[in-house]
Amino acid sequence: MNDGTAKTNLLGLTRAELDAFVAGMGEKPFRARQLLKWLYKRCVADFDQMTDLAKSFRERLKEVAVVATPSITTTQVSADGTRKWLLAMDGTQGIETVFIPEPGRGTLCISSQVGCAMDCTFCSTAQQGFNRNLTVAEIVGQVWLANRELGYQAGGDRVVTNVVFMGMGEPLANYRNVVPAAEIMMDDLGFDISRRRVTVSTSGLVPQMLKLAAETNCALAVSLHAPNDKLRDQLVPINRKHPIAELLDACWQYVNQQNARSITFEYVMLDGINDQPEHARELASLLKGQPAKVNLIPFNTFPGTRYQRSSAAAIERFREILNTNGVIATTRRTRGDDIDAACGQLVGRVNDRTTVRLGSKLISVAVQP
Ligand code: SAH
């Protein structure tokens, strides 16, 4: 990504920033629109191919700008068509991006950090530790790269129809880069993905959720995983700082402020831990009558974990209890587990800087405003 010069990576600029950049070069505003079209509608990175730009402008662009994405270290394709890329970061490290094709849609699961500091006990990314936040260009670059790799053609069908921030990292701990990246994804001159199809998933950083409600308009998913604080404190340590009541208040505020339909609550099914009928009833009483949907995720195992996946029968029973108590719940189909691309299996390559992990109680260092 860093080519050693001070050139500006155009994939890191929102529309307003690109307008300002182009104006700063003394060019007319429509040039910015032309550039956006080449970048996002035609997936072209080479300025020489941008044939409707004056040659002199192209030459100057080459001097001051680049269109750079992270480079691909490996690509794996699952038997079910799911694709996982390991992308190089800072030479030795890596993040993972996953594409999940389904009839009529293609979901890209992107990473927001190299590693993660939230320390959720059932997540393999947590075991890697945390290194750093991704830049806007590195986040946007994952979508750009997937489109290119999957053969997106100008005027053809969309390849990536949905983006979820459910890869490595806690997106709201990298708020200042995730928000402009989401803006570029939703911009009609950018990737032009509908706001209901760009989903930020959080483990529950309440102050950033409230900020997000005021400043953007994307969909929100919340990793709940437990119906009471005693259990959630164990599974999702950020709960000790922002307990369930505070978290749910922020969720309902988000829906009101955003005029959103609902919040999706993710709930990982851990055998004998959080999957009992009483947990389902407790969860139903928290969410009943609220704009909430529950997505049950069968636990995906990884080396060294102390947990096991709930049985299919236990998951089905849990779902039924929610449904009969007035809460809409679905079970997520596990995809790409033969290439370790399923939820919570992304490990990338992370040089841990453990001092900034939540487990070390130094969350203020890990969470940037
Ligand atoms: N940090 C964000 C997004 C990344 S994880 C968040 O917590 O929401 C995306 C989803 O996968 C989260 O709901 C997470 O809790 C879940 N997940 C993590 N590890 C998992 C595992 N081993 N099996 C199944 N789901 C897991």
Side-chain angles (χ1 to χ4, degrees):
M1 178 64 83
N2 185 348
D3 64 359
T5 67
K7 289 182 184 178
T8 299
N9 189 350
L10 300 186
L11 293 182
L13 303 184
T14 60
R15 191 202 300 198
E17 288 166 344
L18 189 71
D19 284 347
F21 183 76
V22 165
M25 291 175 73
E27 293 284 339
K28 297 223 166 67
F30 77 94
R31 294 289 178 208
R33 290 183 165 248
Q34 285 179 313
L35 257 176
L36 282 165
K37 208 164 178 182
W38 285 109
L39 290 177
Y40 297 109
K41 308 288 181 223
R42 299 183 179 131
C43 221
V44 166
D46 177 358
F47 295 125
D48 282 330
Q49 287 179 37
M50 302 184 180
T51 45
D52 59 1
L53 303 181
K55 193 132 192 286
S56 57
F57 181 39
R58 281 188 260 158
E59 291 307 319
R60 289 190 29 249
L61 274 173
K62 281 195 245 174
E63 286 162 19
V64 297
V66 285
V67 180
T69 66
S71 56
I72 299 173
T73 307
T74 57
T75 304
Q76 285 172 278
V77 184
S78 156
D80 67 18
T82 299
R83 222 167 250 258
K84 180 171 84 167
W85 294 281
L86 175 65
L87 305 178
M89 295 283 140
D90 316 321
T92 59
Q93 305 193 76
I95 54 149
E96 294 183 323
T97 304
V98 177
F99 179 72
I100 306 148
E102 285 173 288
R105 73 172 180 187
T107 302
L108 193 70
C109 179
I110 60 171
S111 294
S112 54
Q113 300 183 308
V114 181
C116 189
M118 306 313 291
D119 246 4
C120 299
T121 51
F122 52 85
C123 180
S124 65
T125 304
Q127 293 200 331
Q128 307 298 303
F130 171 77
N131 187 276
R132 70 168 174 87
N133 284 325
L134 297 188
T135 64
V136 178
E138 286 166 339
I139 299 170
V140 170
Q142 294 172 66
V143 186
W144 199 92
L145 205 56
N147 272 321
R148 195 196 67 192
E149 287 299 297
L150 296 164
Y152 170 73
Q153 302 249 308
D157 283 344
R158 278 166 196 267
V159 181
V160 175
T161 61
N162 297 56
V163 174
V164 293
F165 283 85
M166 294 184 189
M168 297 170 69
E170 167 50 53
L172 294 188
N174 183 14
Y175 188 94
R176 70 163 78 129
N177 294 333
V178 162
V179 167
E183 204 181 302
I184 294 167
M185 291 171 207
M186 295 185 287
D187 189 339
D188 51 359
L189 294 182
F191 291 111
D192 192 22
I193 301 173
S194 123
R195 74 182 190 100
R196 296 192 200 287
R197 290 168 178 249
V198 174
T199 304
V200 169
S201 178
T202 182
S203 54
L205 294 181
V206 169
Q208 286 80 1
M209 287 168 67
L210 297 174
K211 242 174 112 168
L212 194 73
E215 294 173 6
T216 65
N217 52 3
C218 52
L220 184 66
V222 172
S223 294
L224 192 57
H225 305 318
N228 59 61
D229 286 324
K230 188 158 180 269
L231 187 53
R232 195 164 190 271
D233 280 352
Q234 303 301 315
L235 301 175
V236 186
I238 189 72
N239 195 68
R240 297 173 208 156
K241 193 163 180 185
H242 301 293
I244 292 175
E246 194 188 329
L247 175 62
L248 292 182
D249 270 355
C251 290
W252 314 142
Q253 197 168 319
Y254 192 89
V255 172
N256 281 336
Q257 228 167 316
Q258 290 276 311
N259 204 10
R261 285 186 195 144
S262 61
I263 302 283
T264 301
F265 290 93
E266 294 154 286
Y267 195 102
V268 64
M269 296 298 289
L270 305 168
D271 184 35
I273 305 282
N274 64 353
D275 65 347
Q276 299 302 300
E278 66 263 27
H279 296 126
R281 284 189 287 272
E282 208 177 350
L283 183 60
S285 67
L286 281 181
L287 301 182
K288 195 178 169 173
Q290 300 290 4
K293 278 193 276 191
V294 175
N295 196 208
L296 301 175
I297 314 175
F299 172 65
N300 294 306
T301 185
F302 53 89
T305 181
R306 69 185 105 144
Y307 300 111
Q308 287 181 337
R309 179 183 291 186
S310 307
S311 68
I315 298 175
E316 184 52 24
R317 182 181 58 189
F318 198 94
R319 197 179 61 77
E320 262 184 40
I321 295 174
L322 289 175
N323 287 164
T324 51
N325 284 281
V327 176
I328 300 168
T330 51
T331 303
R332 189 178 292 178
R333 212 151 51 92
T334 293
R335 299 287 303 264
D337 52 350
D338 54 337
I339 55 167
D340 290 341
C343 302
Q345 290 187 321
L346 304 185
V347 291
R349 282 195 203 144
V350 180
N351 296 337
D352 188 14
R353 292 159 58 215
T354 42
T355 48
V356 295
R357 289 175 77 182
L358 181 62
S360 321
K361 302 277 190 294
L362 282 166
I363 190 64
S364 54
V365 186
V367 179
Q368 290 189 357

